[in-house]
Amino acid sequence: MKTLLKLVGGIVALLVVLVVAGGILLSTVFDPNEYKQEIEQLALDNGGVELQIGGDIDWSVFPWLGLKINQIQVSYPGKPQFAALNQAQVAVELPALLSGNVKMKSVVLDGLQLDLIAESPTSNNWSAPQAADAAASANAEKPAEDATADVADESTVESGSGAALALDIESIAITNGQLTYTDKTAASKIQLSDLNVASGKVVTNAFFPAQLSFNAEQYQGSEKQMTVAAKLDAEFFLDLEKQLYQIKGLNSTLGLQGAAFNGKTVPLELNADITADVAKQQVSLQGLTLKLANLAANGNVTVDNFAKPAFSGDLAVASFELNALMDALGQAAIETTDPNVLKAISLNTKLAGPANTLVLEQLQLKLDDTTFNGQIAVNLTDSALALNLKGDSIDADRYMPPKAEGEAASGDATGSDGSAAAAGSDGERYSKEPVIPVEPLMGLNVDATIGLQKLLVSGLTVNNLLLDVAAHNGLVKASKINADLYGGTVRNSLTLDVRKSPVKMNTKKNISNIQIGDLLNDLAQVDRITGSLSSKSDVNTRGRSVYDIVNSMTGTASVNMKDGEIKGIGIAQTICQGFNTVGSLGLNSDQVDQSTPFANLNGNFKIKNGLVDNRDLKAELDAITLKGAGKVNVPASSLDYRLGLTIEENLFKQTCSVNNALEGVEWPVDCKGSFDDDPAKLCKPDLSVIEDVIKAQLKKKLKAEVETKAKAKVEEALKDKLGDETKGLLKGLFN
């Protein structure tokens, strides 16, 4: 046995000597530079690439199988060059390689240049035309499930193919690298320069350090949009057999510059511990921290199943001041009426969801002293967004832009009807500029429910606000636009369809028992009318501009208002003044209250192309019944109403007594004019009718006086002739 072992040992020793001697002899007598053309031809024949070796090739055989090559250029036939290298150097220890390990000296790549050009989605300079076409065809024909199965199969094959090689590399260095990616279809370019990678001793199953740095520039056309200076430092762990990879203590910093930041450099820091288990198709980021100026986020994120990712973990954004962030980003501050808002914004959430869906559940979003709770879900396949948020209370007026010095109160700057805001540049009262954005709405894929317990806006107090909207591919349905306010309720809905031209919109409104006086007083400091307002409407419109909407309004509406008062329009005083003027009755009309109380006001309206037609307007005013019919021309901003006032009883018992004979007479009132006219001057009684009625009463009175005098004279004459016996004989003669 000893003899056999000695024999085997001798043979091995002899083989080693022969290999060493052969390597020395081979490297001495064999010059690979003499075979550059053959190497380049082999690259073209077998790899389909045009390889140009402009520098020397140095090599060694034993104990290190080493290669050093200079000035390499690579391209595909008929296409621009996509890769170049100043120098590549690598050496592998042969005895270690024969034992199943990879032991290498330093790996050096200097002056690596990649110039990638995408002529179109299917044409580029970094892939062989035939290979690219075949791959595209194969992927197009292969079902998604098969592609997913391939990924799993590859993982299984790799993990089950036996023990992986053990790596032992002194260091890896990539210096002076440059990468350019040009997308001619999008007219954009990304360029990385000063790309450097340096590592410590690279081994398997143990952590080793590595650093990465580069500068990047992003162009749109010929305009530079952004520059990035990046540095990355971490420790890496490789378990090739189990396909387990780790990054520990990742510390990366980015310096962002660009037109969007107005000359400022924005620092971004990202830190985390990362574990990738390829066999289990799982990636985990633990201790994740992100810092951008005064914005700081932290959390833990796990992703399972690479083909159909499912997320879990948590994320928190610490409280930050928005305007401080805006300043750091080179943006103008957001000015608000209350300078103490936007000071404390924060977010906390859990990450969850099924495959291909990211769900932010148990979401809590704080905006100063307002808190929203709910969840947000994003479908990664079609970018569909589902949102459900409920808030407590917010004063929106605090977040409005501050009024300029001398600016009128809300509602006054645009006129009583808002015409200034709606007017177009062509002199039209209503603008013809599109206000409904078609393209953004076509891209929406959203289901959202937003609620708020209390909202203060424009001086109004709104409770139990609820918005329920679904928007998909240009069809927007807001099935609920609900609110409780001023003792009543609002239950509205809206459907907007931008899928075809013209754009179509339907609005349905149902308002019940709102105290209109309190609302108008808070909204516009208007104290002209009070009462409990209820209304319904169902209106269709076409078009994208305010002009189109106003001119196409078609539908129905009804209004009912009860237990109210119209202030500043003294119908009673106007009638009393008319009596005083026409009849010289000596009435003190100044004592008549300049307001018109009413018990009930209602009417039904038909709308066609912006023309509102009403035939049954009725109001029960103070001792007066009002009936009317007429039209409101919204496009022309005018109205033409004929009202009839009927005195039901003595209208002015204390200050303006009216003959009982006037009761039951209908007094016509014309309401005619423009929306811009003073409302107090729009409606005027027809004084000619008042004059006719008073003249008729005066004639009746005069006739009665004449008959009374004639009767007295006849009775006196007969009495002189016949004595008292004539009394009663003429009874009924003048009656």
Side-chain angles (χ1 to χ4, degrees):
M1 180 63 70
K2 290 182 179 180
T3 304
L4 180 60
L5 291 175
K6 287 182 180 180
L7 179 61
V8 172
I11 294 173
V12 170
L14 179 61
L15 289 174
V16 170
V17 171
L18 290 175
V19 170
V20 171
I24 294 173
L25 180 63
L26 191 62
S27 61
T28 302
V29 301
F30 177 72
D31 184 3
N33 289 287
E34 296 179 356
Y35 298 92
K36 284 184 182 179
Q37 292 184 354
E38 285 81 353
I39 295 172
E40 292 173 353
Q41 187 62 44
L42 286 172
L44 182 61
D45 294 341
N46 296 319
V49 295
E50 293 181 339
L51 176 67
Q52 295 182 5
I53 305 174
D56 293 335
I57 303 174
D58 298 324
W59 76 305
S60 63
V61 177
F62 195 89
W64 296 92
L65 178 60
L67 180 67
K68 182 179 179 181
I69 189 167
N70 299 280
Q71 299 177 10
I72 303 171
Q73 296 179 350
V74 183
S75 63
Y76 282 103
K79 293 188 176 185
Q81 174 184 301
F82 73 86
L85 186 63
N86 181 48
Q87 184 183 88
Q89 183 176 334
V90 63
V92 183
E93 190 180 65
L94 274 178
L97 186 61
L98 293 174
S99 66
N101 297 318
V102 178
K103 186 174 182 179
M104 304 177 67
K105 288 184 178 181
S106 298
V107 176
V108 176
L109 296 176
D110 180 63
L112 174 65
Q113 294 186 21
L114 297 177
D115 191 2
L116 310 178
I117 302 173
E119 299 284 351
S120 71
T122 58
S123 176
N124 57 65
N125 72 326
W126 65 84
S127 59
Q130 294 179 350
D133 294 343
S137 176
N139 288 333
E141 295 175 359
K142 182 181 295 184
E145 292 78 2
D146 292 346
T148 304
D150 287 348
V151 174
D153 291 342
E154 289 174 7
S155 300
T156 303
V157 170
E158 185 175 350
S159 62
S161 59
L165 295 176
L167 297 180
D168 187 349
I169 305 173
E170 290 184 4
S171 65
I172 297 175
I174 300 175
T175 57
N176 304 313
Q178 180 172 307
L179 186 151
T180 302
Y181 173 75
T182 303
D183 186 343
K184 292 189 175 182
T185 303
S188 65
K189 182 173 70 174
I190 298 175
Q191 181 174 308
L192 271 66
S193 60
D194 298 325
L195 175 63
N196 293 281
V197 176
S199 76
K201 189 173 183 178
V202 178
V203 295
T204 52
N205 300 314
F207 282 97
F208 60 89
Q211 300 82 38
L212 165 69
S213 64
F214 63 84
N215 294 317
E217 297 177 342
Q218 188 261 329
Y219 292 84
Q220 188 65 44
S222 60
E223 297 292 329
K224 184 188 296 185
Q225 301 296 314
M226 183 177 292
T227 63
V228 179
K231 291 183 178 180
L232 180 151
D233 188 359
E235 292 188 43
F236 296 81
F237 179 93
L238 307 175
D239 187 337
L240 301 179
E241 182 178 359
K242 295 181 179 179
Q243 300 183 75
L244 180 65
Y245 310 97
Q246 292 179 270
I247 301 176
K248 182 173 67 174
L250 172 64
N251 182 6
S252 60
T253 60
L254 303 175
L256 310 177
Q257 287 184 325
F261 305 127
N262 293 318
K264 288 199 172 185
T265 299
V266 179
L268 175 65
E269 297 181 16
L270 176 65
N271 302 283
D273 291 332
I274 304 174
T275 300
D277 191 330
V278 177
K280 294 182 179 179
Q281 295 196 47
Q282 182 183 84
V283 174
S284 175
L285 285 77
Q286 299 297 314
L288 173 67
T289 63
L290 175 68
K291 293 183 179 179
L292 176 65
N294 66 324
L295 179 67
N298 62 82
N300 302 284
V301 180
T302 298
V303 181
D304 290 291
N305 191 343
F306 299 159
K308 297 180 179 180
F311 298 85
S312 61
D314 56 85
L315 180 66
V317 177
S319 180
F320 67 96
E321 182 180 345
L322 181 58
N323 278 336
L325 177 61
M326 298 295 289
D327 180 67
L329 297 177
Q331 306 299 311
I334 299 175
E335 297 185 356
T336 55
T337 299
D338 185 350
N340 295 316
V341 299
L342 303 178
K343 298 286 188 180
I345 305 173
S346 63
L347 178 147
N348 285 278
T349 186
K350 298 290 185 182
L351 305 181
N356 281 330
T357 302
L358 173 61
V359 179
L360 306 183
E361 63 179 17
Q362 301 179 36
L363 174 66
Q364 184 180 80
L365 173 64
K366 288 190 175 183
L367 175 62
D368 298 318
D369 51 1
T370 301
T371 300
F372 290 90
N373 293 286
Q375 73 173 29
I376 300 174
V378 181
N379 188 308
L380 303 181
T381 303
D382 57 9
S383 299
L385 174 67
L387 182 149
N388 190 333
L389 287 178
K390 300 293 177 64
D392 44 26
S393 175
I394 188 170
D395 184 351
D397 291 334
R398 299 172 63 197
Y399 296 86
M400 296 296 180
K403 294 183 176 65
E405 186 176 351
E407 184 179 344
S410 176
D412 294 343
T414 58
S416 59
D417 62 343
S419 58
S425 58
D426 54 2
E428 289 282 352
R429 184 182 188 91
Y430 303 104
S431 172
K432 294 183 179 180
E433 293 296 322
V435 295
I436 298 177
V438 171
E439 290 302 323
L441 292 174
M442 286 293 295
L444 284 181
N445 193 0
V446 177
D447 291 280
T449 299
I450 301 175
L452 199 58
Q453 294 178 11
K454 185 177 181 181
L455 171 66
L456 302 177
V457 58
S458 299
L460 299 180
T461 301
V462 182
N463 297 307
N464 300 323
L465 183 67
L466 178 62
L467 173 64
D468 198 343
V469 59
H472 301 282
N473 304 317
L475 180 61
V476 182
K477 291 185 177 182
S479 57
K480 293 180 181 179
I481 308 175
N482 297 350
D484 299 340
L485 66 162
Y486 296 92
T489 61
V490 175
R491 301 291 183 263
N492 298 341
S493 65
L494 178 146
T495 300
L496 176 62
D497 191 348
V498 302
R499 295 174 297 179
K500 296 181 180 179
S501 183
V503 170
K504 295 181 180 180
M505 182 166 56
N506 171 261
T507 57
K508 295 181 180 180
K509 298 183 178 181
N510 190 343
I511 299 173
S512 300
N513 302 318
I514 289 180
Q515 298 304 310
I516 191 65
D518 295 339
L519 185 148
L520 291 176
N521 192 38
D522 285 351
L523 178 65
Q525 293 75 52
V526 172
D527 187 19
R528 283 180 174 168
I529 187 170
T530 64
S532 179
L533 173 67
S534 298
S535 71
K536 290 184 179 181
S537 66
D538 187 345
V539 178
N540 295 300
T541 64
R542 299 185 307 276
R544 297 177 56 190
S545 68
V546 175
Y547 178 88
D548 292 336
I549 292 171
V550 167
N551 281 271
S552 64
M553 289 191 304
T554 299
T556 60
S558 63
V559 175
N560 176 268
M561 193 156 58
K562 58 185 179 180
D563 302 328
E565 182 179 17
I566 303 173
K567 301 179 181 180
I569 303 179
I571 295 178
Q573 186 194 45
T574 302
I575 295 175
C576 187
Q577 287 175 335
F579 289 156
N580 192 13
T581 300
V582 177
S584 299
L585 301 178
L587 303 175
N588 184 8
S589 61
D590 292 336
Q591 297 179 12
V592 180
D593 184 22
Q594 293 195 30
S595 63
T596 304
F598 59 87
N600 196 40
L601 186 154
N602 57 72
N604 295 285
F605 305 85
K606 292 183 178 180
I607 309 168
K608 186 173 183 180
N609 297 328
L611 187 64
V612 183
D613 191 357
N614 166 250
R615 296 296 167 183
D616 63 351
L617 182 66
K618 183 177 181 180
E620 297 174 1
L621 309 179
D622 183 20
I624 297 176
T625 297
L626 180 148
K627 295 181 180 180
K631 297 180 179 180
V632 176
N633 193 324
V634 180
S637 302
S638 64
L639 75 161
D640 186 358
Y641 256 78
R642 181 73 169 183
L643 304 176
L645 298 175
T646 302
I647 301 174
E648 301 294 344
E649 59 177 310
N650 193 334
L651 183 60
F652 319 113
K653 295 180 179 178
Q654 302 297 325
T655 59
C656 189
S657 298
V658 177
N659 193 299
N660 290 339
L662 298 180
E663 296 180 15
V665 177
E666 184 174 281
W667 305 86
V669 176
D670 291 322
C671 293
K672 192 172 186 179
S674 169
F675 291 176
D676 297 327
D677 294 342
D678 185 352
K681 298 179 180 179
L682 280 176
C683 300
K684 298 180 180 180
D686 189 342
L687 296 180
S688 63
V689 176
I690 297 177
E691 182 178 0
D692 291 341
V693 172
I694 293 180
K695 285 181 179 179
Q697 293 300 315
L698 291 175
K699 288 180 180 179
K700 184 176 180 180
K701 181 179 180 181
L702 180 60
K703 179 180 178 182
E705 290 178 352
V706 171
E707 290 179 347
T708 301
K709 290 180 180 180
K711 177 182 177 182
K713 289 182 179 181
V714 171
E715 288 180 345
E716 184 178 354
L718 291 175
K719 183 178 179 181
D720 291 340
K721 297 282 188 179
L722 303 176
D724 293 337
E725 296 179 358
T726 61
K727 192 173 184 178
L729 293 177
L730 300 178
K731 185 177 181 180
L733 179 63
F734 296 95
N735 294 330

